Amino acid sequence: MDKLKRVTLFAGHYGSGKTNVAVNYALMLKKKGLDVAIADLDIVNPYFRTKDSQKELEENGITLISSLYAGSNVDLPALPAEIYSLVDIHDRYAIFDIGGDDRGATALGRYADAIKEENDYELLLVLNRFRPLSKTPELAMEIMHEIETTANMRFTGIVNDSNLGEETTAEDVLESVEFAQKVSEMAGIPIRFTTVTRKVYDEVKDKIENLMVIHLQDKIV
Amino acid sequence: MSEKVLMKGNEAIAEAAIKAGCRYYFGYPITPQTEVAAYMSKRMPKIGGTFLQAESEIAAINMVIGVSSTGKRVMTSSSSPGVSLKSEGISYLAGCDLPALVVNVQRGGPGLGGIQPSQSDYFQATKGGSHGDYHNIVLAPSSVSEMAMLTAKGFNLADKYRMVCMILADGTMGQMMEPVAIDDIVIEEVAKPWALTGTECKRPRNIVNSLYLKPEQLEQKNFERFEKYKTVEENEVMYESYMMDDAEICIVSFGITARVSKNAIVAARAKGIKVGMIRPITLWPFPKKPILEAADKVKAFITVEMNMGQMIQDVELAERCKKPVYLCNRTGGMIPSPEEVLASIEKVNGGEN
């Protein structure tokens, strides 16, 4: 990858794994010794979100900015003012976890001008070919265009996060690369990395470029 | 065999409904079931179906009445407060003997309550829930693939008995993601000579109505309807029996809490406590018989529920108070942990409850 951009934004179809990828990405940057903050911009899904990883993020010295109401019993699409501190002050690396689909990307539109003006960002499309509404390159492109229109920003790269949760096999990951390449060609943007769990890493490490090892958020049951 | 995809419970309901031949969805967004509507809004236009976001839950259920009258498969979905709004329409569906699938992805209550998961609409779902003498068939899935399977089954049952079939899930079931292959869906076609399809002047007109001017007629209609309910109770009970062969304690739990209970049962068995579970899949008709039979073998029952103790009443009725029934519960959007269920099992096992 080229020089690391100061701002990395993860957007895509809901349920594609954006939050999980964003949290893992933040942890990876932190391990490199960088000062990192992560902001939860999800105004759509009040259930699974960045806040669920609060303890792990805090233990690793990563600042989490999320809605006061995240994880509560209130369904209020409010965002904290602190998010502007990541957009306007350029002293640390910032990761944005954007809500799913075009509906979730509405919140990003509010910060798009400032982020584009600074021009030191990556907007990454998180893809999971095992999600039924983004299982073909054409469907994935449809969602991509809807998000770009709403967010008023263009994607700069792809994260191939194709997975079937804990049941994901090496074959599933290998097979998904072709799908991600097709989307990459159609959209004219590169695949930045493919995610893989530790369990299947050894089986695919010599076959796929730019792998990022991730772990899954804990399940309740 | 179709390939596996990663789906939320809510999406699995929507896709299974489409595969079961449903082409009409009317709804109104409410957390935590919004993905049913979101999925339908994407898929229905592509397959020539109708997705309509109504102006309210009340409007949506009345649209369901309209489509069902024409004999087409139709559904709506909501979460607890929204289902209360639909209740009037559900009673009208029952009074008109119309089939429909209604999904309730429950959240905490009463009132506006909260958006986190709950099972506190058990009474509402299984005891009628609206005015008049009637029942809904109530199905309680406990995994994403069951969300799909029971949705398809629900359409078949609704058509077969001309009843409302309700999927009673909860916020966690709706939101959780699991790999599923939605196949093996069988559409059981039922003739609907009562449907309003246009007479073309070739047959007497059909009337779909719940108003009876003569009390004798209404009474007769209610008698007939309850004969039908008796048939449903005799033929359609579904439950899962888990480690019951040598069980001395029987857990009764449905949906997400049944999953939690399984973990607790495995942990309790590791400690030498003989515990098993009867998991009702149909909440109405309730699996009374296996529970009564278990009452002769076990020393106690524990119901694990996310409410203040609702299904516990049906368990006590089913086992005719032969053995004590204890309650292990959380409410308000909280899910009992396997450790809490285990603690409850140990307490009952020690006889100190």
Side-chain angles (χ1 to χ4, degrees):
Chain A
M1 208 188 287
D2 311 331
K3 179 193 160 291
L4 181 67
K5 305 288 187 194
R6 191 189 71 80
V7 175
T8 309
L9 309 112
F10 294 97
H13 181 37
Y14 72 85
S16 57
K18 296 173 297 299
T19 299
N20 203 51
V21 171
V23 167
N24 277 278
Y25 194 78
L27 291 166
M28 186 192 75
L29 293 191
K30 190 69 195 181
K31 276 191 194 122
K32 290 183 178 174
L34 303 174
D35 188 11
V36 186
I38 183 166
D40 179 1
L41 250 65
D42 192 343
I43 54 164
V44 180
N45 188 335
Y47 266 65
F48 300 118
R49 46 197 302 168
T50 328
K51 183 116 177 169
D52 299 338
S53 300
Q54 186 171 17
K55 194 161 161 264
E56 186 182 14
L57 290 165
E58 280 172 359
E59 280 169 3
N60 283 281
I62 296 168
T63 310
L64 166 67
I65 300 176
S66 74
S67 164
L68 183 62
Y69 305 106
S72 80
N73 239 338
V74 185
D75 196 0
L76 208 58
L79 292 169
E82 280 170 278
I83 289 176
Y84 279 108
S85 72
L86 293 186
V87 177
D88 294 339
I89 307 169
H90 305 162
D91 62 348
R92 56 183 163 170
Y93 287 91
I95 291 159
F96 287 83
D97 175 17
I98 316 294
D101 290 349
D102 47 341
R103 284 177 282 269
T106 311
L108 176 57
R110 177 166 148 188
Y111 309 100
D113 284 345
I115 291 168
K116 284 193 283 192
E117 197 184 312
E118 183 195 0
N119 197 22
D120 191 8
Y121 70 93
E122 278 259 46
L123 175 57
L124 299 179
L125 175 69
V126 181
L127 282 182
N128 182 356
R129 72 154 298 250
F130 295 104
R131 294 282 291 143
L133 293 185
S134 63
K135 66 183 178 186
T136 66
E138 290 73 23
L139 286 168
M141 290 295 291
E142 203 177 291
I143 291 168
M144 186 187 103
H145 288 312
E146 286 168 358
I147 294 172
E148 287 183 332
T149 307
T150 310
N152 196 20
M153 289 179 82
R154 291 234 175 241
F155 281 103
T156 59
I158 287 167
V159 176
N160 177 21
D161 186 46
S162 296
N163 74 87
L164 281 166
E166 284 168 0
E167 287 184 24
T168 316
T169 63
E171 291 73 46
D172 293 332
V173 180
L174 288 168
E175 177 198 330
S176 72
V177 172
E178 195 184 331
F179 163 84
Q181 276 165 350
K182 188 86 210 283
V183 179
S184 167
E185 278 166 31
M186 287 167 84
I189 51 175
I191 301 172
R192 287 299 184 206
F193 54 89
T194 294
T195 64
V196 64
T197 56
R198 174 61 59 193
K199 205 168 70 179
V200 297
Y201 173 73
D202 285 336
E203 285 182 69
V204 300
K205 67 177 182 209
D206 301 324
K207 295 169 188 159
I208 303 174
E209 290 175 1
N210 298 326
L211 281 173
M212 183 168 103
V213 178
I214 61 165
H215 68 268
L216 305 178
Q217 279 179 304
D218 287 340
K219 284 210 305 193
I220 313 164
V221 281
Chain B
M1 181 85 187
S2 61
E3 64 170 343
K4 277 195 175 178
V5 288
L6 188 64
M7 285 189 121
K8 288 189 177 214
N10 286 336
E11 297 170 327
I13 285 176
E15 184 59 34
I18 289 168
K19 288 214 162 82
C22 174
R23 291 294 178 275
Y24 300 89
Y25 172 91
F26 307 102
Y28 188 82
I30 179 171
T31 303
Q33 67 77 50
T34 303
E35 291 83 4
V36 181
Y39 194 92
M40 288 299 196
S41 74
K42 288 263 186 199
R43 287 277 280 129
M44 281 299 197
K46 291 180 180 170
I47 54 170
T50 298
F51 161 85
L52 201 151
Q53 181 173 323
E55 68 268 35
S56 72
E57 286 86 348
I58 297 170
I61 194 73
N62 281 284
M63 292 171 187
V64 169
I65 294 173
V67 169
S68 181
S69 302
T70 70
K72 305 284 190 207
R73 287 194 161 180
V74 56
M75 73 179 285
T76 185
S77 63
S78 193
S79 179
S80 308
V83 174
S84 290
L85 285 166
K86 291 182 199 291
S87 293
E88 183 196 47
I90 293 172
S91 174
Y92 277 71
L93 284 161
C96 297
D97 298 304
L98 288 173
L101 190 86
V102 177
V103 177
N104 183 359
V105 183
Q106 298 167 92
R107 53 187 261 177
L112 207 45
I115 60 169
Q116 300 296 335
S118 132
Q119 297 174 332
S120 53
D121 303 344
Y122 179 91
F123 282 156
Q124 184 194 49
T126 60
K127 310 295 174 193
S130 190
H131 64 280
D133 279 317
Y134 76 97
H135 282 293
N136 300 323
I137 294 172
V138 184
L139 305 176
S142 163
S143 67
V144 173
S145 63
E146 258 190 20
M147 290 281 251
M149 192 268 278
L150 293 178
T151 295
K153 172 108 184 160
F155 276 107
N156 288 338
L157 288 172
D159 275 356
K160 184 175 177 185
Y161 294 104
R162 295 178 64 180
M163 285 176 70
V164 170
C165 185
M166 181 178 277
I167 303 291
L168 192 69
D170 68 76
T172 310
M173 295 298 317
Q175 296 294 327
M176 69 193 298
M177 295 178 83
E178 286 177 341
V180 284
I182 301 181
D183 43 23
D184 301 332
I185 285 186
V186 179
I187 302 177
E188 289 164 14
E189 297 280 358
V190 175
K192 296 179 176 176
W194 48 265
L196 311 184
T197 54
T199 65
E200 294 176 4
C201 301
K202 287 174 187 163
R203 61 162 170 82
R205 64 182 178 155
N206 287 335
I207 296 171
V208 171
N209 175 44
S210 67
L211 174 66
Y212 292 86
L213 295 179
K214 293 182 181 158
E216 294 85 356
Q217 276 183 350
L218 179 54
E219 184 187 48
Q220 187 54 37
K221 194 73 210 168
N222 283 334
F223 286 159
E224 287 168 18
R225 206 169 280 129
F226 271 70
E227 279 302 311
K228 174 172 79 181
Y229 293 159
K230 221 163 88 183
T231 313
V232 176
E233 287 196 274
E234 279 161 13
N235 298 320
E236 306 298 349
V237 169
M238 286 190 283
Y239 65 96
E240 179 195 356
S241 189
Y242 181 70
M243 293 194 176
M244 280 301 293
D245 285 351
D246 60 344
E248 292 169 0
I249 295 171
C250 175
I251 287 180
V252 185
S253 191
F254 65 95
I256 192 72
T257 47
R259 283 172 80 118
V260 176
S261 297
K262 274 190 183 175
N263 290 339
I265 289 168
V266 171
R269 290 230 165 219
K271 291 184 168 193
I273 306 171
K274 288 178 179 165
V275 53
M277 175 167 66
I278 293 173
R279 172 173 77 90
I281 298 172
T282 49
L283 296 177
W284 197 92
F286 193 70
K288 295 175 190 169
K289 203 169 146 231
I291 288 172
L292 180 61
E293 283 166 5
D296 291 329
K297 297 180 201 159
V298 302
K299 59 182 180 186
F301 291 88
I302 303 171
T303 69
V304 184
E305 310 179 57
M306 296 197 299
N307 55 48
M308 288 307 292
Q310 299 191 12
M311 184 181 60
I312 191 171
Q313 295 187 4
D314 280 338
V315 174
E316 283 169 337
L317 283 170
E319 56 108 33
R320 296 177 195 154
C321 299
K322 283 186 173 181
K323 297 289 162 60
V325 187
Y326 301 102
L327 175 66
C328 173
N329 68 323
R330 296 294 302 268
T331 78
M334 302 302 293
I335 302 173
S337 67
E339 292 74 25
E340 283 170 313
V341 179
L342 177 61
S344 184
I345 294 169
E346 287 181 312
K347 205 170 161 191
V348 169
N349 189 50
E352 340 151 11
N353 222 318

